[in-house]
């Protein structure tokens, strides 16, 4: 039995979703417009869908798992489980008002009409903030609503903000930060659950590899205790003697976000000849 995954057919999620599966070692044949295809080296069936439909297909078990934006997951309110945050297709969902409008806080929205394609996400927010506003649901081109006079404000996805500016709008409240999520049907069978775990294991290995660097450096022996303490690595660093008396080579793994700080400290401790190498897969 295959694991069935729903991914976006085309759009902002598609490329990174396919890339993630490829990096996890899954070969996807070029589908010439097919909506269903099978991986050649993993029991995985891919369903290519509109992102709006993915939460429902996963909730109904037509797909076992899916890759979809958090914004759609929250909007659709389906019974699905979030199994992993994926870190791509990042955007925010914001409230925006005409740029010349005086804005002093959320109370502005009392009694106002807000245009959006995400009525549920907006409704949750307004309720939580106890704001009574009218939600005007429209399918698209939300940002023109204030100009044509069909709403006072809008609630929509923003990434750079340039669409807002070119429509004479100003972002005034960030309601939600969204990214792509891997979601799953909550009632997967045993086999499906096993395959999902195998897939997540691979995704995790890719993620760790991308967020860590392998580093090699030469260090004077008398500084080794301090250097080793600073570089715990996976278990502990590898230390090999150099041909030159009194020096050793140290090999270890460092998280990308601590990288520059560690390099500075290592230099101060007398480390030399520091090499930094990308990691392809990392399994702890
Ligand atoms: P579909 O045809 O599948 O319905 P769509 O037009 O609804 O596609 P896209 O524009 O491809 O959707 O966006 C898909 C998802 O990408 C969004 O739901 C959101 O999670 C994320 N995203 C990231 N940045 C942006 C952005 N600037 N504008 C819109 N969506 C973005
Ligand atoms: Zn869509």
């Amino acid at each position: 039995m295959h694991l069935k995954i729903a991914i976006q057919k085309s759009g902002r999620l598609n490329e990174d979703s396919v890339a993630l599966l490829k990096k996890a070692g899954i070969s996807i044949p070029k589908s010439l417009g097919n909506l269903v295809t099978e991986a050649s080296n993993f029991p995985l069936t891919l369903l290519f869908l509109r992102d709006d439909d993915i939460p429902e297909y996963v909730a109904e078990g037509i797909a076992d798992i899916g890759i979809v934006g958090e914004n759609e997951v929250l909007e659709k309110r389906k019974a699905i489980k979030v199994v992993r945050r994926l870190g791509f297709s990042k955007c925010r969902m914001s409230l925006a008002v005409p740029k010349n409008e005086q804005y002093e806080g959320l109370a502005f929205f009392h009694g106002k009409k807000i245009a959006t394609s995400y009525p549920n996400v907006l409704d949750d927010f307004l309720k939580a903030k106890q704001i009574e506003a009218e939600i005007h649901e429209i399918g698209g081109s939300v940002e023109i609503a204030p100009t044509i006079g069909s709403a006072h404000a809008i609630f929509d996805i923003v990434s750079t903000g340039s669409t807002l500016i070119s429509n004479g709008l100003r972002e005034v409240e960030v309601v939600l930060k969204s990214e792509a999520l891997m979601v799953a049907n909550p009632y997967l069978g045993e086999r499906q659950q096993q395959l999902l775990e195998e897939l997540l294991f691979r995704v995790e290995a890719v993620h760790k590899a991308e967020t860590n660097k392998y580093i090699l450096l030469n260090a004077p022996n008398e500084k080794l205790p301090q250097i080793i303490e600073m570089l715990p690595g996976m278990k502990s660093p590898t230390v090999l003697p150099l041909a030159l008396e009194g020096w050793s080579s140290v090999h270890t793994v460092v998280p990308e976000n601590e990288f520059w700080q560690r390099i500075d400290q290592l230099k101060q401790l007398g480390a030399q000849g520091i090499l930094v190498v990308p990691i392809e897969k990392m399994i702890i």
Side-chain angles (χ1 to χ4, degrees):
M1 265 266 268
H2 275 198
L3 182 70
K4 285 177 280 177
I5 183 168
I7 65 173
Q8 191 190 26
K9 182 175 181 299
S10 63
R12 287 187 165 95
L13 287 157
N14 168 271
E15 217 171 281
D16 286 339
S17 304
V18 171
L20 178 78
L21 297 175
K22 286 194 175 150
K23 278 189 272 180
I26 294 169
S27 306
I28 304 164
K30 284 242 174 314
S31 76
L32 303 160
N34 285 351
L35 298 184
V36 182
T37 185
E38 282 182 8
S40 54
N41 58 354
F42 193 88
L44 188 74
T45 299
L46 293 102
L47 312 179
F48 295 96
L49 302 169
R50 284 201 57 194
D51 69 337
D52 313 52
D53 297 331
I54 292 176
E56 186 172 341
Y57 276 61
V58 172
E60 286 178 356
I62 294 164
D64 300 309
I65 63 173
I67 296 177
V68 65
E70 199 169 1
N71 51 312
E72 287 298 338
V73 172
L74 293 172
E75 180 59 29
K76 295 300 188 288
R77 294 179 172 163
K78 298 287 176 190
I80 50 181
K81 264 194 344 195
V82 175
V83 291
R84 199 177 204 291
R85 305 183 70 81
L86 297 173
F88 58 82
S89 295
K90 286 193 174 172
C91 57
R92 52 192 192 273
M93 302 195 75
S94 296
L95 284 157
V97 302
K99 67 172 188 289
N100 298 325
E101 197 79 60
Q102 196 170 347
Y103 183 84
E104 272 151 15
L106 278 177
F108 170 90
F109 294 102
H110 272 301
K112 296 275 180 8
K113 194 167 168 184
I114 310 170
T116 187
S117 316
Y118 293 90
N120 290 331
V121 180
L122 179 57
D123 192 46
D124 287 344
F125 177 75
L126 294 175
K127 285 218 171 83
K129 300 289 178 187
Q130 298 182 318
I131 303 287
E132 300 232 354
E134 186 188 338
I135 298 174
H136 175 49
E137 183 181 352
I138 47 179
S141 304
V142 169
E143 59 285 348
I144 63 162
T147 317
I148 61 173
S150 65
H152 300 111
I154 69 156
F155 173 64
D156 203 4
I157 289 177
V158 182
S159 55
T160 61
S162 57
T163 312
L164 293 182
I165 292 167
S166 62
N167 283 284
L169 298 170
R170 179 161 62 102
E171 184 178 4
V172 291
E173 300 284 345
V174 176
V175 169
L176 180 84
K177 294 220 163 105
S178 172
E179 66 184 87
L181 304 177
M182 188 179 289
V183 294
N185 180 284
Y187 311 106
L188 291 183
E190 205 178 314
R191 170 78 174 141
Q192 258 71 20
Q193 188 64 40
Q194 235 174 25
L195 289 171
L196 170 59
E197 270 154 34
E198 158 119 37
L199 181 63
L200 286 171
F201 175 80
R202 293 185 183 199
V203 169
E204 187 60 24
V206 171
H207 173 75
K208 285 214 193 75
E210 283 175 350
T211 51
N212 285 275
K213 298 281 180 220
Y214 190 73
I215 78 172
L216 305 93
L217 57 87
N218 295 329
N221 285 348
E222 71 271 15
K223 297 286 192 209
L224 280 177
Q226 284 155 281
I227 291 181
I228 290 169
E229 198 185 335
M230 246 181 63
L231 296 173
M234 292 217 264
K235 199 165 232 109
S236 80
T238 305
V239 180
L240 302 165
L242 288 192
L244 179 66
E245 188 77 30
W247 284 76
S248 297
S249 166
V250 180
H251 302 193
T252 193
V253 169
V254 174
E256 173 112 77
N257 56 0
E258 296 172 17
F259 178 73
W260 288 111
Q261 192 196 347
R262 294 288 167 90
I263 294 288
D264 268 354
Q265 293 167 335
L266 289 167
K267 276 176 23 199
Q268 278 165 24
L269 286 169
Q272 298 177 1
I274 304 172
L275 297 182
V276 181
V277 187
I279 301 170
E280 164 113 359
K281 303 278 186 301
M282 180 165 155
I283 294 142
I284 298 180

